[in-house]
Amino acid sequence: MVFNSLHFLVFFGLITSAYFLLNHKYRWLLLLFGSCYFYMAFVPIYIVILGFTIVIDYFAGIYLEKFTGQKKKIFLAFSLIANIGVLAIFKYYHFIDQNIGFL
Amino acid sequence: MKKIVAACIFVACVYLLKVSVSENSMKEITESRYQSTGMFSSSKYKYGDLFGLTYLKDFMLKEDRFPNKPLNIKKNPENLSLHIISDSYVFGPFADKKEYFSRARNLKFYPWKDKNWELPKLDSNLINIAIVEVIERERAYVLNLDNIKSRLSINNENGKVVVSQQQQQHFFLLKAINTTQQFFKFIGSIFYHKNIDTHLEFVLFDFEFLLPFKLWKADLNYHVFNRINSDVVLSKDGKNLYVKSTIDKNSPGSSFREIDNKEIENQVFQMNEISRYLKLMGFQKVLFTLIPNPVSVLKTELQPMNEFVNRVQNNPKLQVEFLDLNKELSKNPDFYFCRSDTHWNSNGIDLWIYNVNNYLNSIPQ
């Protein structure tokens, strides 16, 4: 789903209108669902990757608030590695591999 | 008030999304728009499919794409059972038109657009004939034995599904992966459709009353930015529209892609194998008909062409019966193809059925 497509226009209209219709308490659920749908519109199975980072970041957020000092830094590092790791593997692994091969 | 507006937008968007991901809903809307007349009818295919993609005013032509009348018909003896594997060049004009085929008692189509075909029911009291028709631009994708077998859901000569030893070793893993993929495919199909943007465009904007705006927009894009739909090419003389895949040298179905003898021989081998296979199934006769791309006949692009159809039909290793249309098509190229559509016009269709009936009439009684 690209931003200048009709699909995005309809999707945007749906999520925005639903956002204003919903009670504040449930809006986060709508946005979560909306994000997942947006991601799945590309390739549905890729939601597994997004699900992985959602779960890690959800718990990392909770523990970052709960702990202080060294432990807090560990959770932050864990979350960063998970997010950047996913990016590195799925976005840049092929690029790096190809360039190393070329050299 | 804000809530009412939001509710209206929500309902409209849900409706649009629901309709555009559902094949059935799209079929209903498409049929009702095509059948209706007036300002709310569809204008997309009224003047040819390539016009419907480009909306170039010069190609807003009403060209007839149906056969004129049955030609070269022999009624007796009515002892032929015809099974035609075809694309829209033949399936479109002749679906359910048995009366156009000489001596035909039965007529059954197997369109390339369908992924699975019913197994042909052959009648031992009749002469069963298979006609395999394909347009040049599609032959690289469809004209091979494995494709025919897979559409008939047969993986080997005995009709059984074969699982290799290596596949058996990883059977459970493959099954698990397959189930997961199927699950996500199913989830995806609920919310999403690969043609969702085309569907939305059709639902929202394909109305006769919007046609003047589309013509104006296409005119502006063409004359100011020299841009038309990326799937369509305007011929060098400006008289014809072509599907890009027939022009683009990188496309397998292009008339201009360099094709070596090995590829021709492979195609010939595949046609021989298909003929052999269909005869093993019980067909007494198998006839091939390869329709050249319009650009291969019209020769407007002033570039060397691969002459694919000619090279195949003149290959000494070809052991199948082949319907030669090239000679007639080349005599009067402008006569047989639509200018604003991918297909041929009534004259092309008539030429095909005339030659097919010649062949059917020549079959011994």
Side-chain angles (χ1 to χ4, degrees):
Chain A
M1 194 190 320
V2 288
F3 293 119
N4 61 356
S5 66
L6 282 172
H7 187 193
F8 182 76
L9 187 74
V10 173
F11 166 75
F12 180 74
L14 193 144
I15 296 294
T16 311
S17 56
Y19 183 86
F20 286 111
L21 287 171
L22 272 176
N23 191 310
H24 278 82
K25 216 165 85 179
Y26 302 111
R27 284 178 176 174
W28 72 272
L29 256 173
L30 173 79
L31 295 178
L32 179 67
F33 167 79
S35 302
C36 291
Y37 177 84
F38 182 81
Y39 210 74
M40 286 173 80
F42 181 46
V43 178
I45 202 165
Y46 286 1
I47 193 65
V48 176
I49 303 163
L50 189 67
F52 170 74
T53 55
I54 287 171
V55 171
I56 297 262
D57 290 338
Y58 177 76
F59 286 107
I62 290 171
Y63 290 121
L64 276 174
E65 198 183 12
K66 209 170 177 181
F67 293 105
T68 52
Q70 191 65 21
K71 275 190 174 173
K72 194 172 183 167
K73 281 182 184 170
I74 290 171
F75 283 113
L76 177 68
F78 187 61
S79 170
L80 284 173
I81 289 167
N83 282 282
I84 297 169
V86 164
L87 198 68
I89 290 168
F90 290 100
K91 197 168 180 185
Y92 295 112
Y93 173 76
H94 185 64
F95 172 75
I96 293 166
D97 183 48
Q98 227 177 10
N99 279 283
I100 287 172
F102 182 71
L103 286 171
Chain B
M1 185 63 192
K2 204 165 81 176
K3 292 248 174 191
I4 294 169
V5 174
C8 291
I9 295 173
F10 181 76
V11 171
C13 291
V14 167
Y15 169 76
L16 283 171
L17 213 55
K18 194 245 160 215
V19 161
S20 54
V21 296
S22 157
E23 288 286 350
N24 289 337
S25 305
M26 281 310 297
K27 206 176 160 194
E28 274 175 35
I29 292 180
T30 309
E31 277 172 9
S32 83
R33 291 240 183 117
Y34 285 163
Q35 280 163 12
S36 67
T37 50
M39 60 194 288
F40 291 105
S41 64
S42 164
S43 63
K44 196 168 176 67
Y45 295 118
K46 211 176 257 180
Y47 307 99
D49 54 8
L50 297 177
F51 168 79
L53 289 172
T54 58
Y55 288 101
L56 291 175
K57 207 187 268 175
D58 291 346
F59 293 92
M60 200 169 144
L61 311 163
K62 278 210 167 173
E63 294 173 293
D64 207 354
R65 299 188 295 274
F66 290 95
N68 288 314
K69 58 179 181 191
L71 291 166
N72 202 11
I73 286 280
K74 244 194 205 176
K75 288 272 180 212
N76 291 310
E78 203 182 76
N79 61 350
L80 304 181
S81 177
L82 299 180
H83 298 258
I84 306 180
I85 298 172
S86 72
D87 51 37
S88 52
Y89 270 69
V90 167
F91 175 68
F94 292 112
D96 304 323
K97 286 193 177 132
K98 191 177 71 122
E99 67 275 16
Y100 281 77
F101 293 86
S102 241
R103 296 171 56 190
R105 174 89 61 89
N106 304 322
L107 174 66
K108 168 94 179 145
F109 274 97
Y110 304 82
W112 289 114
K113 69 179 169 65
D114 293 349
K115 277 185 185 165
N116 297 304
W117 297 329
E118 271 177 46
L119 273 175
K121 288 177 191 134
L122 303 184
D123 192 330
S124 54
N125 298 318
L126 302 173
I127 303 171
N128 297 289
I129 297 167
I131 299 178
V132 183
E133 176 273 321
V134 69
I135 176 75
E136 185 183 349
R137 72 165 190 270
E138 291 295 323
R139 66 85 206 167
Y141 305 104
V142 297
L143 203 55
N144 62 75
L145 183 59
D146 286 343
N147 182 34
I148 301 246
K149 281 185 182 177
S150 75
R151 282 162 198 264
L152 291 167
S153 312
I154 296 169
N155 288 353
N156 71 353
E157 295 289 333
N158 300 322
K160 288 178 186 166
V161 175
V162 179
V163 180
S164 71
Q165 229 176 6
Q166 201 184 0
Q167 276 178 318
Q168 272 173 359
Q169 281 171 5
H170 304 295
F171 190 68
F172 291 106
L173 182 63
L174 284 171
K175 209 172 165 187
I177 291 170
N178 195 27
T179 312
T180 315
Q181 282 175 340
Q182 289 299 323
F183 171 73
F184 279 106
K185 217 174 164 184
F186 169 71
I187 295 286
S189 69
I190 297 174
F191 300 109
Y192 190 68
H193 190 283
K194 64 180 167 44
N195 296 326
I196 194 165
D197 276 312
T198 318
H199 287 175
L200 281 168
E201 197 180 334
F202 181 82
V203 173
L204 289 169
F205 302 114
D206 190 17
F207 295 108
E208 185 73 30
F209 75 91
L210 291 176
L211 187 58
F213 298 102
K214 289 182 184 179
L215 291 174
W216 176 79
K217 186 186 157 200
D219 206 37
L220 184 81
N221 267 328
Y222 178 59
H223 287 110
V224 177
F225 304 109
N226 198 21
R227 204 166 55 191
I228 60 171
N229 184 295
S230 58
D231 293 328
V232 184
V233 173
L234 183 64
S235 67
K236 283 225 160 74
D237 60 5
K239 286 183 184 167
N240 289 81
L241 292 175
Y242 298 129
V243 182
K244 194 184 174 191
S245 63
T246 63
I247 307 286
D248 182 3
K249 282 181 181 170
N250 297 317
S251 168
S254 168
S255 300
F256 302 101
R257 181 173 63 91
E258 215 170 288
I259 292 180
D260 56 18
N261 286 335
K262 203 175 155 192
E263 189 175 338
I264 298 286
E265 300 229 329
N266 182 44
Q267 186 62 79
V268 167
F269 171 76
Q270 288 295 335
M271 288 166 72
N272 290 341
E273 286 294 292
I274 290 169
S275 175
R276 189 183 64 83
Y277 182 76
L278 291 174
K279 281 182 176 166
L280 274 175
M281 280 180 87
F283 286 101
Q284 281 94 331
K285 295 264 183 188
V286 179
L287 175 71
F288 280 83
T289 155
L290 270 177
I291 298 169
N293 293 329
V295 70
S296 303
V297 177
L298 292 163
K299 297 184 169 61
T300 51
E301 301 309 282
L302 312 172
Q303 291 178 55
M305 289 194 287
N306 54 38
E307 300 288 344
F308 174 79
V309 178
N310 271 331
R311 286 165 70 192
V312 166
Q313 79 180 69
N314 294 323
N315 191 292
K317 288 182 183 165
L318 189 72
Q319 292 159 359
V320 303
E321 294 189 88
F322 195 94
L323 194 72
D324 178 14
L325 297 175
N326 254 347
K327 231 181 268 169
E328 276 302 315
L329 290 171
S330 319
K331 274 185 199 165
N332 198 356
D334 293 329
F335 193 57
Y336 297 106
F337 290 97
C338 292
R339 288 178 54 210
S340 64
D341 197 280
T342 37
H343 300 90
W344 47 17
N345 58 26
S346 296
N347 302 321
I349 293 164
D350 283 348
L351 176 74
W352 186 82
I353 193 70
Y354 181 86
N355 281 281
V356 166
N357 282 340
N358 247 355
Y359 172 80
L360 298 178
N361 291 338
S362 72
I363 293 170
Q365 296 176 5

